[in-house]
């Protein structure tokens, strides 16, 4: 972690402001600008936690913030401890502690045992730029709270970041959802992460969401989620690129000299990952020229060959080795649902699209010409003849403002449940 102080800017400052706000130390805006109000909040926090109140977030302050960023702390059981007492001490609930510690017998606590204590607040923030680092921290935090979640990786990005998979459920209907193929559509990552959190929470409490019993969902379906297919690109859009990055020169050049990468959809070497799958890829290369794309850049460059990129190769290999009944690829352009590829009409595909449309309010649409080649869902439909969808969430210019996330979540919560229930075995 970088040291943060007066004058610092960026996603880490947003994260700091967000957590200080949640904890009640900060009352300002989440704007990513470390001003006097942020400094004052840091000093209050530091005083409260016995640190030197210098208003600078260095290693010691980070260490104290870390449990809150993760959403849990650890507690060593002492003489006279009960779960009720511990829950009260940390302002949380007994139910949360029980969920996070599956082997623990609440009536026979043994002194000296370390347990996980989740805080009452939710883990996945909905108000800040969602970098790869925040994703990673949230995955760790959710896994500790909900140990029944399965977490692994399906590969790595060019810069060596993990392509995480989170798995929910244990039923026979295996489906897969992904987000952030496109870098400046990163809002789809916290969308999927928030859904994981809400489903896991409901499952742990034998609860329901929108009338769906989540334990039933769990027994019917196995849901794989790849929340961030293009982590290098996401961080590029959010953080920009440092001159120390080996791709610095190349990226600036590909971005026509600009240091603002908010228009960037591609991966770190300028390949549009959603034009890099083997679905009419050669045809697309013809069209690419007509679109004026001559090489790597912010968007629409399909790469030197299908699956040339480690991110698409990982996605394709992973998809080939799991017999998914349905896939969803999340993007952000205009609140529409794409369900077709060429003349392929997988059974159930349109019926399910209609259900999605009903619960989300998104329209079923015909893709524009440049949208109808070499995408993940195109390839999935072509190779497996099963329902595959691109869900274009949100409206406006990418990257969509994070303020759209709560509404976007509302529109997609039921759709994400239906996608696991509707496909036939
Ligand atoms: Zn997209």
């Amino acid at each position: 972690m970088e040291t943060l102080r007066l004058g610092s800017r960026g996603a880490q400052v947003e994260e700091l402001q967000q957590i200080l706000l949640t904890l009640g130390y900060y009352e300002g805006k989440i704007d990513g600008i470390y001003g006097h109000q942020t400094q004052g909040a840091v000093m209050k926090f530091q005083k409260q936690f016995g640190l030197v109140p210098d208003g600078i977030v260095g290693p010691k302050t980070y260490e104290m913030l870390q449990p809150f960023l993760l959403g849990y702390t650890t507690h060593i059981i002492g003489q006279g401890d009960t779960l009720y007492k511990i829950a009260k001490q940390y302002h949380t609930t007994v139910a949360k502690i029980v969920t996070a510690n599956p082997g623990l017998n609440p009536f026979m606590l043994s002194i000296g045992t370390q347990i996980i204590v989740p805080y009452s607040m939710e883990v996945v923030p909905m108000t800040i730029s969602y970098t790869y680092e925040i994703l990673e921290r949230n995955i760790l935090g959710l896994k500790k709270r909900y140990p029944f979640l399965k977490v692994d990786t399906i590969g790595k990005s060019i810069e060596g970041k993990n392509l995480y998979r989170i798995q929910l459920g244990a039923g026979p209907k295996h489906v897969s959802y992904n987000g952030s193929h496109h870098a400046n559509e990163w809002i789809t990552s916290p969308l999927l992460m928030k859904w994981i959190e809400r489903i896991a929470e409901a499952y742990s409490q034998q609860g329901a969401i929108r009338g769906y019993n989540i334990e039933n969902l769990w027994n019917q379906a196995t849901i794989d989620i790849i929340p961030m297919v293009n982590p290098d690109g996401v961080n590029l859009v959010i953080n920009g690129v440092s001159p120390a990055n080996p791709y610095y020169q190349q990226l600036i050049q590909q971005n026509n000299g600009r240091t603002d990468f908010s228009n960037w959809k591609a991966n770190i070497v300028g390949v549009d990952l959603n034009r890099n799958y083997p679905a009419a890829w050669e045809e697309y290369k013809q069209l690419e020229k007509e679109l004026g794309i001559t090489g790597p850049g912010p968007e629409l460059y399909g790469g030197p060959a299908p699956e040339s990129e480690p991110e698409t190769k990982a996605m394709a290999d992973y998809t080939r080795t799991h017999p998914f009944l349905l896939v969803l690829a999340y993007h952000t352009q205009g609140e529409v649902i794409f369900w077709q590829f060429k003349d392929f009409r997988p059974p159930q595909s349109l019926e399910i699209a209609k259900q999605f449309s009903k619960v989300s309010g998104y329209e079923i649409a015909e893709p524009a010409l440049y949208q109808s080649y070499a995408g993940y869902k195109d390839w999935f439909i072509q190779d497996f003849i099963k329902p595959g969808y691109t869900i274009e969430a949100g409206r406006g210019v990418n990257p969509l403002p994070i303020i759209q996330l709560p509404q976007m979540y509302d529109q997609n919560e039921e759709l994400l449940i239906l996608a696991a229930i509707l496909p036939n075995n």
Side-chain angles (χ1 to χ4, degrees):
M1 301 292 278
E2 195 184 311
T3 297
L4 301 176
R5 51 160 60 87
L6 199 61
S8 294
R9 275 169 180 262
Q12 284 190 38
V13 177
E14 285 181 41
E15 193 183 22
L16 173 70
Q17 290 170 330
Q18 190 269 335
I19 200 68
L20 291 172
L21 189 125
T22 304
L23 296 172
Y25 295 98
Y26 182 67
E27 289 171 354
K29 270 193 232 151
I30 296 178
D31 55 7
I33 302 167
Y34 198 123
H36 289 285
Q37 213 175 348
T38 306
Q39 189 188 41
V42 169
M43 287 163 80
K44 269 193 261 173
F45 176 86
Q46 288 171 325
K47 262 186 219 156
Q48 185 79 45
F49 285 83
L51 299 165
V52 180
D54 59 2
I56 297 169
V57 181
K60 280 186 183 154
T61 305
Y62 262 123
E63 205 184 305
M64 286 294 181
L65 282 168
Q66 188 70 359
F68 301 110
L69 293 170
L70 286 164
Y72 74 90
T73 189
T74 53
H75 175 88
I76 294 172
I77 292 171
Q79 190 75 46
D81 264 352
T82 64
L83 288 193
Y84 176 75
K85 236 171 113 178
I86 298 166
K88 219 176 150 192
Q89 181 186 341
Y90 294 96
H91 308 285
T92 188
T93 64
V94 171
K96 279 195 162 62
I97 299 174
V98 170
T99 300
N101 300 275
L104 191 71
N105 182 344
F107 305 104
M108 289 184 71
L109 299 180
S110 56
I111 294 168
T113 307
Q114 184 175 292
I115 61 166
I116 304 290
V117 181
Y119 293 119
S120 58
M121 70 215 195
E122 291 195 326
V123 173
V124 179
M126 293 182 91
T127 49
I128 60 173
S129 303
Y130 206 75
T131 58
Y132 171 76
E133 287 72 25
I134 296 174
L135 171 82
E136 208 167 38
R137 192 150 43 239
N138 284 177
I139 290 173
L140 187 60
L142 289 179
K143 174 73 185 155
K144 285 285 184 183
R145 274 183 182 219
Y146 305 112
F148 48 81
L149 291 173
K150 292 185 190 134
V151 176
D152 63 3
T153 61
I154 62 157
K156 281 187 190 294
S157 69
I158 289 181
E159 294 189 307
K161 297 186 183 76
N162 290 320
L163 307 178
Y164 284 105
R165 167 177 65 167
I166 299 124
Q167 192 175 71
L168 306 94
K173 296 187 181 193
H174 202 177
V175 297
S176 178
Y177 313 157
N178 65 72
S180 296
H181 263 93
H182 283 149
N184 66 3
E185 301 175 17
W186 56 257
I187 198 170
T188 57
S189 297
L191 171 74
L192 291 170
M193 289 297 291
K194 182 50 80 178
W195 191 78
I196 293 170
E197 178 165 31
R198 294 272 166 87
I199 295 291
E201 159 73 10
Y203 177 66
S204 74
Q205 305 304 318
Q206 286 96 45
I209 293 180
R210 293 181 192 253
Y212 297 89
N213 177 308
I214 299 306
E215 214 170 334
N216 288 347
L217 174 71
W218 210 269
N219 296 328
Q220 281 179 64
T222 300
I223 306 164
D224 279 16
I225 297 178
I226 318 286
M228 197 179 278
V229 177
N230 182 10
D232 300 345
V234 168
N235 273 16
L236 175 66
V237 168
I238 294 173
N239 297 331
V241 61
S242 138
N245 187 307
Y247 297 101
Y248 178 80
Q249 294 287 351
Q250 183 182 315
L251 281 165
I252 299 286
Q253 194 185 16
Q254 288 169 5
N255 200 32
N256 296 318
R258 286 190 305 252
T259 53
D260 176 352
F261 284 85
S262 52
N263 61 325
W264 197 269
K265 287 186 189 292
N267 71 353
I268 204 73
V269 295
V271 176
D272 190 324
L273 298 179
N274 214 38
R275 297 289 168 272
N276 190 237
Y277 289 93
W281 182 88
E282 288 78 9
E283 262 178 77
Y284 177 69
K285 291 304 273 188
Q286 292 304 310
L287 181 68
E288 202 179 85
K289 291 190 194 89
E290 292 166 34
L291 293 169
I293 305 296
T294 54
E299 62 174 339
L300 295 173
Y301 173 61
E307 295 180 42
S308 58
E309 306 309 296
E311 297 89 355
T312 45
K313 179 83 170 80
M315 280 299 287
D317 283 344
Y318 150 79
T319 307
R320 277 188 283 260
T321 50
H322 298 78
F324 295 122
L325 297 175
L326 174 152
V327 300
L328 301 179
Y330 265 89
H331 291 257
T332 59
Q333 203 65 264
E335 302 190 340
V336 292
I337 297 164
F338 296 124
W339 65 282
Q340 308 169 67
F341 176 60
K342 298 206 166 221
D343 295 328
F344 295 94
R345 299 283 186 277
Q348 272 198 296
S349 213
L350 181 58
E351 292 72 29
I352 292 175
K354 284 177 181 164
Q355 295 289 320
F356 287 170
S357 174
K358 207 168 103 188
V359 297
S360 63
Y362 294 178
E363 274 177 38
I364 298 172
E366 297 275 339
L369 190 61
Y370 72 92
Q371 291 172 316
S372 47
Y373 295 93
Y376 176 74
K377 81 108 174 54
D378 305 326
W379 168 73
F380 181 78
I381 292 172
Q382 168 199 274
D383 273 29
F384 304 99
I385 327 280
K386 296 263 194 238
Y389 304 90
T390 294
I391 311 289
E392 300 277 3
R395 260 178 215 279
V397 178
N398 290 322
L400 297 179
I402 192 71
I403 195 166
Q404 283 199 18
L405 184 56
Q407 188 195 10
M408 191 184 286
Y409 181 81
D410 270 352
Q411 292 167 333
N412 287 280
E413 189 178 51
E414 188 169 358
L415 189 162
L416 287 159
I417 295 171
L418 286 180
I421 294 175
L422 292 178
N424 293 328
N425 277 328

